[in-house]
Amino acid sequence: MRGQENSMGRSASILPLGSLVAALVIGPLVWAAIRPAPASRGPRGRFAASALLRIADSRDDRRENPAATSGDPDGQDRVEREAWFEERHRVGPGVSWRQIERTNRRREVGKRNKLSQMRPSGGPDSEAQASSSWREIGSRNQAGRMHAARHSSDGQRLYAGSSAGGVWRSTDLDGTDWEPLGDNLAGGAHELEILPGAFAGAPDVIVRGTSDLWVSRDEGLTWELPTGLPSNLNSVRRLRQSSDGSNTLYVVLSERIGIANHYGVYRSTDLALSFTKIRGLGLDPGDLWTRRDGSPDVYVLEGNAVSTSIDRGDSWSVAGSLPAAVKGGELTGSEAGAPRLWVVGRAGGARKLYRSDDAGGSWTFKRDVSDYWDSMNASIVDADRFAWGGVEVHRTTDGGDTFQIVNGWGEYYGNPAGKLHADVPGIDVLPDGGGGELWYVATDGGLFRSTDGLLTVENLSLQGLRVSQYYSTHTSSANTDHVVAGAQDQGYQRADVPAPGLDHLLDFDQMISGDYGHLTSGNGSHTYLYSVYPGFVLIQIGEDFPQLAFADFPSGESYGWMPTVTADPLHLPSFFFCATKLYRYSRVGMTFGWSSTIWSGQSFQASSGEYLTAVAFSPLDPQRAFAATSHGRLFHSLDQGVSWTQSTTTGPSAHYFYGTALLPSATDVDTVTVGGSGYSNPAVYRSTDGGVTFAPWSEGLPSTLVYCLGESPDGSGAVFAGTELSAYRRDPQGGTWLDVAADEAPLTTYWSVEAVADQNVMRFGTYGRGIWDFVVGPTCRYEVYGVGVGGANVLTLDSTSSTKIGTSHVLSLSGGQPLAAGALLVSLNSASLPAFGGTLLVDISRAFSIPVTASIWGARDTSVPIPMNPNLVGISLYGQGALLDPNQSRGWAFSNGLRGELCE
């Protein structure tokens, strides 16, 4: 690359690259016809609990309605799941994957902001949307975890914050016509506040908090970080605004100092443009509460002391103290008292409920608290009404003397419209505008509302709140109307027909509760479809009228919280189970029982804690098998996995590689790709010699976790990857991975991917925004890539032209210096290489250059005629602009990349 940089030199032209034209790989067929010339710029769904077909061992209660695994009262399953999640993000010593992903998230949001300026989004019927490569599939009627609810500034609409699916808004307070406002911001909204716009008619200001505090002033199109917050911010604990009309906003956050979290209160008085620290809270997790009745009073919990301010935080006075054993906790209150305050205090390993009837001056212990998820709230109008949330919601109407649960978690499955789902991360109580109040309960199965103080509830999530958290999907090759999905806390779901009149959105039936993943079939149909719940293997038998059966995990074994199963491609009633050894299960005759045997005697546990995480068979030769472990070791087999040989090369630092996905090629029996944790090493490796050796294949990917890999159904050999924040594509001869989500699909975790051949799509299951299809075929339009790479890449290259042959394509370059000279580089391949302080996004070894000179506005349109030749269809062109720029450290400015696949 150094020689290539030097060849460009510091001259006023990039035309030395023109020497590559002599060896132009794009071919005379294209080049002879291209004559560039400058142009002037100018609810239907059902819950099938009552119809569950449980065949095996109906006496086993855990299989009748498996509990939501993240919400058991003692928290053990939740702890195990979090440990598994952490293990998958395997890193080297001193490396924080969360900090890396925060950096990735901020970069992606910056990229989305820029894309929104380049290509303002249209409505659902716009031309841009009609030609999009993406389409949302659903679920339309099954929601995932929610956290918060707020009314619009005029009190007429409802905003909701999800766990991993962004911010949503309905057209009223009834959950009608939900629309996503957070697809350009990764993650959810664990804390949420809504402020009025800066002027009459301006959109509400949306403030959302999780690990960062983000603000949108244009209904979620773009997001910004306010100033004044600490650079080492760790998490947002609480977000509250004053109800006195001043629009004062308070945030309780933690910042990392050394090895400890320090808590503090910050305040904004300018609609979240900036914040100022007004109070430290020490090392204990404190809290803050604001009144909802128009008062400016603010209350904080610091350690075991409660303080109050009557001047919006300018000064504070200590109201009183709880017992000395209390070290922080959660604080809320009821305006109907003096006010009456409630604290769930942290005292050692216990949680204790206290009540104050004199605004914090004195405190009474009420009870020890269990089944508690740090969520609680109190009535505005009834001092005796208070509730906390855990697996279930615990409610008192007598000031905490007695408590009742609103409903048992299992009752939801018989009445999802009127019973709370399990697991409650948030409870909000908001004024109803008429002197009363509305209670909102955020659960792992959507958002609920109560108009009578939690005596009854109604589900606001049964239509259109599309925040499902999916681990896996599987579409039947025998009937693509049959789609099955394994969800977090929303069970094993099945759709068998599209929802009428709703385009591509599907309604799903929840066949059985719990968490399910690793859906797998031996021949692509649903004759036998296998999946895992953390505790047993679930087996669906039958395509049109499915029955469910179960099999136990092997005893005395080690495996992940949600272990991997892989269907046997040579015998449909059999599957393989990944542990320290490889097990094979087979159906016992025509019974509904499965027996297991050790298929391979080889132990895959070379060190403590290691186990198999992935096994896959070549679609071209099922005798060829490949395996990956939790410690990054890779293996290959020539006898369907009976005997194994360890790969001799896995690239640098493979010890910190946790293999999550294996993809044997459908076009070359010797090619296999593996993806996994890429924070201390590459996230993807590839072998072209049958798994004997692997080499890094991660160019273009950020340091991230690759959750899944899939191959295009069109026979091209293109590979798709789902990561922590986006979806990527790499062509067989492509030099780099390209972000295909752009600004058309949500910024979220892409946990699974499958090829649906009949529809020529790659189907992604996301963890927070449901199921999305990427259409593999050409959309006949240009797509940007490489936005936000930083450095000298400050120009913008875009095109509104179709990529059809027989037309002229106009490529628009902007953002340069007036009258700057440069070139438009066009190649057959992409790249990601450092050059002149920026990033070269096209492969110049297969490129030609078109000289351009910017206008006095620093822009230039270039028209490229493409001949009417069918042989060109399917060829992808990659473009990038470069202009001289004395303001750049190396004298050159570069643009983003632009990709277009020629079509008819």
Side-chain angles (χ1 to χ4, degrees), residues 151-159 171 173 194-197 204 433:
H151 293 164
S152 59
S153 62
D154 62 6
Q156 300 303 305
R157 294 182 291 181
L158 178 63
Y159 290 83
T171 56
L173 299 182
I194 305 299
L195 301 171
D204 285 339

Side-chain angles (χ1 to χ4, degrees), residues 365-383:
F365 171 73
K366 300 304 295 182
R367 64 187 295 150
D368 289 319
V369 174
S370 61
D371 181 27
Y372 177 63
W373 275 33
D374 298 349
S375 62
M376 65 175 192
N377 221 312
S379 169
I380 304 170
V381 299
D382 180 355

Side-chain angles (χ1 to χ4, degrees), residues 76 244 296 312 375 408 426 510 521 526 528 580 635 645 671 685 777 793 807 856 863 879 883:
Q76 184 57 38
D244 64 352
R312 305 189 189 98
S375 62
Q510 190 173 157
S521 164
H526 289 176
Y528 288 92
T580 62
F635 298 83
T645 303
T671 296
Y685 295 88
N793 292 69
T807 63
I856 60 172
S863 180
L883 293 173

Side-chain angles (χ1 to χ4, degrees), residues 233-271:
L233 188 156
N234 184 60
S235 66
V236 173
R237 175 163 166 75
R238 193 72 68 216
L239 191 59
R240 292 290 182 265
Q241 67 169 303
S242 175
S243 63
D244 64 352
S246 66
N247 299 321
T248 304
L249 187 64
Y250 305 92
V251 58
V252 178
L253 55 80
S254 65
E255 55 182 309
R256 196 74 171 176
I257 302 177
I259 61 172
N261 286 327
H262 292 247
Y263 294 86
V265 179
Y266 288 72
R267 180 182 65 189
S268 173
T269 58
D270 56 7
L271 299 180

